[in-house]
């Protein structure tokens, strides 16, 4: 079956369409608006003026923004902002990440995107499939923006000690700040680089990103949103995603990868063993009651994870927020999660044999 | 299949729905696999657009905007009721009056599409039914062109592996 045959099949399959009545659509939209206004009125006990204001705000907030142009030149309007409504746009429109955010007022969403600016070192298009998948599935910060904006405004100014706090590797990424009117700014924030916020040079891009991830973590803690994982994970997949906490994100898919003796890298032909529903449930139970993380001593090594006689079995796991994690089997009888950028990880009281894959 | 809206002036909401409502419903039917869900999806998407119609019409890209609202409403995780259902072995879609050969095609196409994740299903409908380019599909779904390419490849591999569509 080629693509033309598929298109023909789709056309043949579609039945006759009914008439769509514009009046019925209008009436539905009016009912929805009235319903929301009633809800707003019911929960507000302060004053009539407050009811009116909240109803108006709800109605305004529910409307999709008018079509605008995003950094990729495509339409940006989202019908309502959920954490997954904010996109980065096509790579070709992201070659001019700036070093400044001109204003923070009326910011309604912030998210991380890949930075394709060719003037910067590192990433150049095409990005790897893992990088693109991470970007496509990332959640944006849409709750608690005033708190985030206030924290950004309090970032230390850039001084003589500029960049001394940057600890992580330099990553070619940028933060997108979207405002209520649909306009947005793309700001390079991948590491030790100057960022100017509302005219004030701040510490560095990494500090800005770290602040963003802290607030995204808070959002994940307080709001129970999810995104169905519809990607593929393989033994070669790289860990990716946002801030994760054991037990908070649910594990929705997992594969076990059993490295052959003596392997020094992951063979392309390594075939994973998918975990079934009962195995996944057992893994989730262990994930929900994590043990202490691995803490290496001054030598930088830990006997449960370093200098192992054989390469360890590991699991690649997807969460209900489309993160991808790696759990490494330790000969000490548990799985080790080394954590995301902002965390210290955990040990999970289960091993591959318990799961029937070791 | 998508028909472009060609109008001298910006269409009123009524004009647009009259002209494009059926086409939107057909795409929604391929996304949801069910006539009533398709109607619900189209009405919900159009209701969202109605509230901002003047601004949408002024912009001149009505089709792109409405299509984007339709597919993002479908792929929105909160709207699980529009998840495609896998038709049973003897459960043709409701309300159809068509030759038996087309009913068989319809059934097999729906079963094959139901095996795809929502994102991949949306890509298939936009690329091969709406006949959009990869860039247009990426804009409609709010993803990168690279994602469209990879999702298309995975979806096609799944459809080809299903054997349901062979020989139709």
């Amino acid at each position: 079956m080629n693509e033309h045959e598929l298109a023909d099949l789709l056309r043949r399959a579609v039945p006759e369409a009914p008439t769509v009545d514009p009046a019925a659509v209008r009436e539905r939209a009016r009912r929805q608006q009235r319903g929301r206004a009633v809800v707003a009125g019911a929960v507000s006990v302060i004053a009539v003026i407050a009811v009116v204001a909240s109803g108006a705000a709800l109605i305004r907030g529910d409307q999709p923004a008018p079509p605008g142009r995003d950094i990729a030149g495509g339409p940006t309007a989202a019908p309502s902002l959920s954490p997954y409504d904010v996109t980065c746009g096509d790579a070709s429109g992201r070659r001019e990440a700036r070093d400044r955010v001109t204003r923070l007022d009326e910011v309604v969403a912030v998210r991380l995107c890949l930075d394709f600016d060719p003037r910067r070192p590192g990433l150049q298009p095409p990005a790897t499939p893992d990088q693109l998948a991470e970007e496509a599935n990332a959640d944006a910060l849409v709750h608690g923006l005033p708190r985030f904006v206030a924290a950004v405004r309090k970032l230390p100014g850039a001084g003589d000690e500029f960049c001394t706090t940057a600890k992580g590797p330099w990553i070619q990424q940028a933060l997108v700040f979207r405002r209520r009117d649909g306009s947005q700014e793309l700001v390079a924030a991948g590491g030790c680089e100057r960022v100017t916020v509302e005219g004030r040079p701040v510490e560095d891009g990494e500090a800005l990103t770290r602040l963003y991830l802290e607030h995204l973590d808070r959002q994940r803690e307080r709001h129970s949103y999810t995104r169905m994982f519809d990607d593929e994970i393989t033994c070669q997949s790289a860990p990716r995603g946002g801030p994760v906490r054991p037990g908070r994100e649910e594990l929705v898919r997992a594969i076990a990868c059993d490295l052959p003796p003596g392997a020094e890298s992951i063979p392309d032909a390594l075939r994973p063993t998918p975990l079934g529903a009962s195995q996944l449930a057992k893994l989730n139970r262990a994930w929900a009651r994590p043990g202490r993380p691995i803490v290496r001593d001054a030598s930088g090594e830990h006997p449960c994870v370093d200098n192992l006689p054989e390469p360890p079995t590991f699991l690649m796991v997807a969460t209900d927020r489309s993160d991808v994690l790696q759990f490494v089997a330790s000969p000490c009888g548990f799985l080790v999660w080394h954590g995301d950028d902002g965390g210290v990880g955990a040990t999970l009281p289960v091993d591959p044999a318990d799961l029937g894959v070791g | 299949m998508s028909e472009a809206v060609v109008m001298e002036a910006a269409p009123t909401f009524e004009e647009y729905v009259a002209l494009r409502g059926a086409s939107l419903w057909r795409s929604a039917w391929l996304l949801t696999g069910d006539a009533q869900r398709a109607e619900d999806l189209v009405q919900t998407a159009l209701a969202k657009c109605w509230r901002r119609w003047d601004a949408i019409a002024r912009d001149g890209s009505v089709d792109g905007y409405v299509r984007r609202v339709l597919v993002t409403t479908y792929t929105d995780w909160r709207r699980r009721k529009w998840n495609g259902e896998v038709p049973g072995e003897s459960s043709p879609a409701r309300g159809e009056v068509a030759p038996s050969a087309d009913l068989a095609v319809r059934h097999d196409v729906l079963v094959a599409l139901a095996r795809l994740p929502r994102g991949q299903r949306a890509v298939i409908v936009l690329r091969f039914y709406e006949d959009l380019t990869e860039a247009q599909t990426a804009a409609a779904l709010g993803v990168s062109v690279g994602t469209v390419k990879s999702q298309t490849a995975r979806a096609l591999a799944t459809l080809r592996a299903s054997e349901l569509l062979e020989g139709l």
Side-chain angles (χ1 to χ4, degrees), chain B residues 65-114:
Chain B
Y65 185 88
V66 175
R67 185 188 298 118
R68 176 159 183 161
V69 172
L70 183 83
V71 294
T72 54
T73 301
Y74 164 70
T75 54
D76 188 333
W77 65 273
R78 291 168 296 184
R79 309 216 178 252
R80 295 182 187 278
K81 65 179 179 176
W82 287 312
N83 277 0
E85 290 184 344
V86 181
E89 288 303 312
S90 57
S91 59
R94 281 175 282 177
E96 60 218 343
V97 179
S100 58
D102 279 353
L103 285 181
V105 170
R106 185 167 303 160
H107 176 267
D108 287 349
V109 165
L110 284 187
V111 172
L113 288 176

Side-chain angles (χ1 to χ4, degrees), chain A residues 69-72 76 86-88 176-179 181-186:
Chain A
R69 308 300 295 177
D70 70 3
I71 46 183
T76 61
V86 186
T87 61
C88 294
V176 169
F177 291 76
R178 178 173 293 187
R179 286 185 285 268
D181 64 3
S183 64
Q184 56 189 31
E185 288 180 298
L186 182 70

Side-chain angles (χ1 to χ4, degrees), chain B residues 5-18:
Chain B
V5 173
V6 181
M7 291 185 170
E8 293 297 323
T12 64
F13 182 74
E14 287 74 13
E15 288 171 340
Y16 182 81
V17 174

Side-chain angles (χ1 to χ4, degrees), chain A residues 1-3 6-7 9-18 20 22 24-26 28-30 32-33 36 62-67 75 77 79-80 82 84 87 90 132 136 225-226 228 230-232, chain B residues 1 13-14 17 21-22 25-26 29-30 40 43-44 46-48 50-52 55-56 59 65 68 77-78 80 105-106 109 117-120 128-129 139 142 145 147 151 154 156 159-160 165-166 168:
Chain A
M1 178 187 62
N2 61 35
E3 295 178 2
L6 173 60
L9 280 176
L10 295 177
R11 282 193 291 272
R12 286 170 58 196
V14 174
E16 281 295 310
V20 180
V25 175
R26 277 200 312 273
R28 183 183 184 132
R30 288 193 182 107
Q32 288 171 347
Q33 281 192 330
R36 289 188 175 95
D62 187 60
Q63 292 170 339
S80 61
S82 84
Y84 296 111
T87 61
D90 190 73
L132 290 171
Y225 59 89
T226 58
M228 188 176 72
D230 63 357
D231 208 347
E232 183 183 15
Chain B
M1 203 158 37
F13 182 74
E14 287 74 13
V17 174
W25 183 90
R26 287 192 285 269
W29 184 86
L30 283 171
D40 195 22
Q43 286 209 4
T44 301
L46 286 172
K48 288 178 178 176
W50 174 77
R51 299 182 206 127
R52 299 286 300 176
I56 299 168
D59 183 73
Y65 185 88
R68 176 159 183 161
W77 65 273
R78 291 168 296 184
R80 295 182 187 278
V105 170
R106 185 167 303 160
V109 165
R118 273 174 295 168
Q120 291 182 20
F128 301 110
Y129 183 72
V145 171
T147 299
Q151 296 286 69
R154 287 175 190 154
L156 288 175
L159 293 176
R160 284 171 180 140
L165 304 184
E166 294 300 332
L168 288 177

Side-chain angles (χ1 to χ4, degrees), chain A residues 269-346:
Chain A
L270 184 61
R271 295 177 67 87
T273 304
L275 271 64
S278 61
Q279 295 163 307
L280 199 56
K282 188 176 284 188
L283 186 60
N284 264 305
R285 284 195 292 274
W287 176 239
R289 49 186 182 92
R292 290 183 177 178
I294 292 290
V295 179
R296 293 180 168 93
D297 60 18
S299 70
E301 295 181 353
H302 191 291
C304 287
V305 292
D306 296 308
N307 297 321
L308 304 181
E310 292 294 341
T313 296
F314 65 92
L315 274 61
M316 298 305 303
V317 182
T319 77
D320 60 350
R321 282 168 167 157
S322 290
D323 314 289
V324 175
L325 317 176
Q326 185 183 57
F327 298 158
V328 180
S330 165
C332 299
F334 45 73
L335 295 176
V336 178
W337 175 56
H338 286 294
D340 51 43
D341 289 343
V344 292

